């Protein structure tokens, strides 16, 4: 590990900063906060402003909407219940989630939603943990009757409209047939929202309460929650969804009076958290430390290993890889890692600057967080620009490209 920069070269860190600054100077990214860490050392850059037309500067404690980067963190609540033997991997979920009992499955993914056959078996906890329970956001099926029903039925947690409380949300989900047989096919997003409901019902408490008690508080993640309280709202920038054609800044969610300014009816494990670079660093550091933080055990070592190593069969991994490669023009190249653990991507082949074994995920609001056991590395990049244009995805890619060059062995 090289000198005073905590395992990074000085020239390498300057290049990280220069590339981040170039993106801000381009006018397409108003501001960014980035953290890189090796071992106990961290290096943080806060560049640009909170609003696209100026305003307060970005700072290390700026709070961001994490979107799908919530998934690796919210998954920890389910893992704590596995550690407690309150859940088992192959338990059917029917007793806690009766809305998902006795499922019907589409005969064809693009067929009418009433052209179904009975599912061959119940949905299990494992199916939810691996995103294979049979429903999800499928980029290859956009425009199909079932995808339209998901978006129109008020169950998609990253849409513009707030969701109802969890029992009504589960009722709505239960009106849909499955797209695939349980355990068969990796499908994105919805399983994480279901897991939040499962945790709440198993514990008899709100999902956030249990997550806070077992994960957030022990890790000191004081700014991570499902909303931003009034006394912190000045630390939350607006969230932009630039016009895909013109790139013009459009406010997707304002800070004051916005979706995250008050407690929500539905605590969405798939994308509902707000957080900071330091909170996410603490969480991913805990994963690199195989479940411990400051000498205290948060999750068991095998629970962390299950989360952070590939859980997909070769067939499932091939389908996930084909989906990612076939959608690069839509995803701007995100999602190319191959594997998937519990709650996050896991690199199973070397396709870019990051090595096999790196784990983490990105978020549609312009967020990225990964850890790399081989290099004892963590990186968190947060911006307020959603992935409606390529700019934030390109920023994320350039961040990781420069971070890996900055490693000073």
């Amino acid at each position: 590990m090289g000198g005073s920069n905590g395992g990074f070269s000085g020239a390498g860190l300057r290049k990280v900063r220069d590339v981040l600054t170039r993106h801000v100077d381009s006018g397409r990214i108003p501001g960014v906060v980035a953290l890189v860490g090796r071992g106990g050392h961290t290096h943080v850059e806060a560049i640009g402003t909170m609003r696209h037309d100026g305003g307060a500067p970005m700072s290390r404690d700026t709070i961001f909407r994490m979107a799908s980067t919530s998934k690796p963190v919210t998954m920890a609540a389910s893992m704590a219940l596995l550690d407690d033997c309150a859940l088992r991997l192959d338990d059917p979920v029917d007793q806690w989630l009766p809305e998902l009992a006795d499922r019907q499955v589409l005969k064809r993914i693009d067929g009418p939603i009433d052209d179904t056959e009975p599912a061959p078996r119940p949905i299990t906890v494992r199916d939810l943990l691996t995103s294979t329970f049979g429903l999800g956001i499928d980029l290859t099926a956009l425009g199909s009757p079932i995808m339209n029903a998901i978006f129109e039925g008020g169950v998609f947690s990253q849409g513009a409209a707030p969701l109802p409380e969890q029992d009504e949300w589960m009722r709505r989900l239960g009106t849909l047939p499955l797209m695939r047989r349980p355990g068969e096919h990796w499908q994105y997003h919805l399983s994480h929202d279901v897991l939040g409901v499962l945790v709440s019902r198993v514990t008899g408490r709100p999902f956030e309460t249990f997550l806070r008690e077992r994960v957030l508080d022990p890790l000191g993640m004081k700014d991570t929650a499902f909303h931003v309280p009034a006394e912190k709202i000045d630390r939350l920038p607006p969230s932009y969804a630039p016009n895909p054609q013109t790139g013009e800044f459009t406010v997707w969610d304002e800070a004051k009076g916005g979706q995250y300014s008050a407690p929500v009816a539905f605590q969405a494990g798939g994308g509902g958290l707000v957080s900071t670079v330091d909170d996410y660093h603490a969480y991913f550091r805990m994963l690199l430390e195989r479940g411990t933080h400051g000498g205290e055990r948060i999750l068991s070592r095998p629970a962390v290993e299950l989360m952070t190593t590939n859980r997909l069969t070769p067939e499932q991994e091939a389908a996930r890889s084909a989906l990612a490669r076939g959608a690069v023009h839509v995803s701007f190249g995100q999602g190319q890692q191959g594997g998937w653990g519990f709650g996050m991507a896991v690199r199973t082949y070397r396709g870019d600057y990051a090595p096999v074994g790196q784990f983490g995920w990105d978020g549609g609001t312009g967020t990225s967080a990964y850890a790399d056991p081989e290099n004892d590395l963590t990186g968190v990049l947060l911006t307020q620009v959603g992935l409606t244009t390529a700019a934030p995805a390109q920023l994320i890619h350039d961040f990781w490209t420069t971070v890996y060059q900055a490693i000073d062995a």
Side-chain angles (χ1 to χ4, degrees), residues 16-342:
V16 173
R17 182 172 67 237
D18 288 348
V19 166
L20 297 179
T21 302
R22 189 195 312 161
H23 280 273
V24 172
D25 288 347
S26 76
R28 292 192 290 271
I29 305 287
V32 60
V33 183
L35 178 150
V36 291
R38 290 187 82 190
H41 298 276
T42 59
H43 178 86
V44 175
E45 297 286 355
I47 301 166
T49 54
M50 301 270 278
R51 304 190 68 92
H52 81 89
D53 48 4
M58 284 288 180
S59 65
R60 183 167 184 159
D61 69 350
T62 296
I63 296 170
F64 293 87
R65 301 158 190 78
M66 299 306 292
S68 287
T69 317
S70 303
K71 290 174 170 71
V73 173
T74 58
M75 179 58 68
S78 299
M79 303 312 291
L81 291 179
L82 288 177
D83 281 345
D84 293 351
C85 300
L87 285 174
R88 295 174 204 90
L89 282 167
D90 294 304
D91 280 343
V93 299
D94 300 8
Q95 68 179 101
W96 302 289
L97 304 172
E99 299 92 341
L100 294 183
D102 304 317
R103 294 289 78 199
Q104 293 284 312
V105 186
L106 289 178
K107 289 180 182 172
R108 286 182 38 188
I109 188 96
D110 57 352
I113 62 171
D114 56 358
D115 186 18
T116 61
E117 57 195 7
R121 66 161 175 83
I123 294 165
T124 65
V125 173
R126 186 189 299 270
D127 297 331
L128 290 172
L129 294 173
T130 53
S131 295
T132 61
F133 85 105
L135 275 173
I137 306 307
D138 187 337
L139 292 177
T140 65
L142 291 177
S144 66
I146 185 64
M147 286 303 301
N148 291 343
I150 287 170
F151 291 132
E152 291 160 13
V155 294
F156 179 53
S157 62
Q158 293 285 278
L163 295 183
E165 49 76 36
Q166 64 183 30
D167 291 349
E168 169 61 16
W169 184 84
M170 282 302 305
R171 186 197 67 75
R172 293 181 188 181
L173 195 70
T175 65
L176 301 172
L178 299 182
M179 302 159 77
R180 311 271 188 183
R181 293 175 171 187
E184 237 175 47
H185 209 87
W186 184 87
Q187 290 183 294
Y188 189 52
H189 185 73
L190 287 175
S191 56
H192 293 269
D193 290 338
V194 177
L195 282 169
V197 181
L198 179 65
V199 168
S200 175
R201 288 186 177 171
V202 170
T203 61
R205 301 154 72 195
F207 177 39
E208 184 172 16
T209 303
F210 182 75
L211 182 67
R212 185 164 303 290
E213 180 182 289
R214 291 296 290 272
V215 182
L216 304 180
D217 283 352
L219 287 171
M221 296 173 70
K222 60 186 186 301
D223 292 321
T224 304
F226 286 103
H227 83 286
V228 182
E231 68 271 15
K232 297 181 182 180
I233 199 78
D234 288 340
R235 291 163 54 194
L236 180 73
S239 179
Y240 297 106
N243 182 299
Q245 278 73 46
T246 66
E248 181 188 356
F249 284 102
T250 305
V251 174
W252 177 71
D253 184 55
E254 197 45 86
K256 289 177 180 163
Q259 284 191 46
Y260 291 82
S261 63
V264 290
F266 186 84
Q267 295 165 353
L273 290 180
V274 294
S275 194
T276 62
V277 288
D278 282 294
D279 279 12
Y280 258 62
H281 172 254
Y283 182 79
F284 276 84
R285 214 39 251 170
M286 178 273 291
L287 296 180
L288 283 180
E289 302 284 350
R290 300 187 176 191
T292 62
H293 172 80
E296 182 182 356
R297 183 153 291 286
I298 311 295
L299 294 172
S300 71
R301 179 183 291 235
V304 172
E305 288 170 354
L306 282 169
M307 293 169 78
T308 60
T309 55
N310 184 41
R311 301 270 65 77
L312 301 182
T313 65
E315 297 78 13
Q316 289 167 337
E317 191 172 0
R320 176 172 138 70
S321 293
L323 169 64
R325 289 179 185 142
V328 287
H329 58 302
V330 180
S331 66
F332 308 114
Q334 307 300 83
Q336 303 287 312
Q337 300 85 348
W340 191 263
F342 288 164

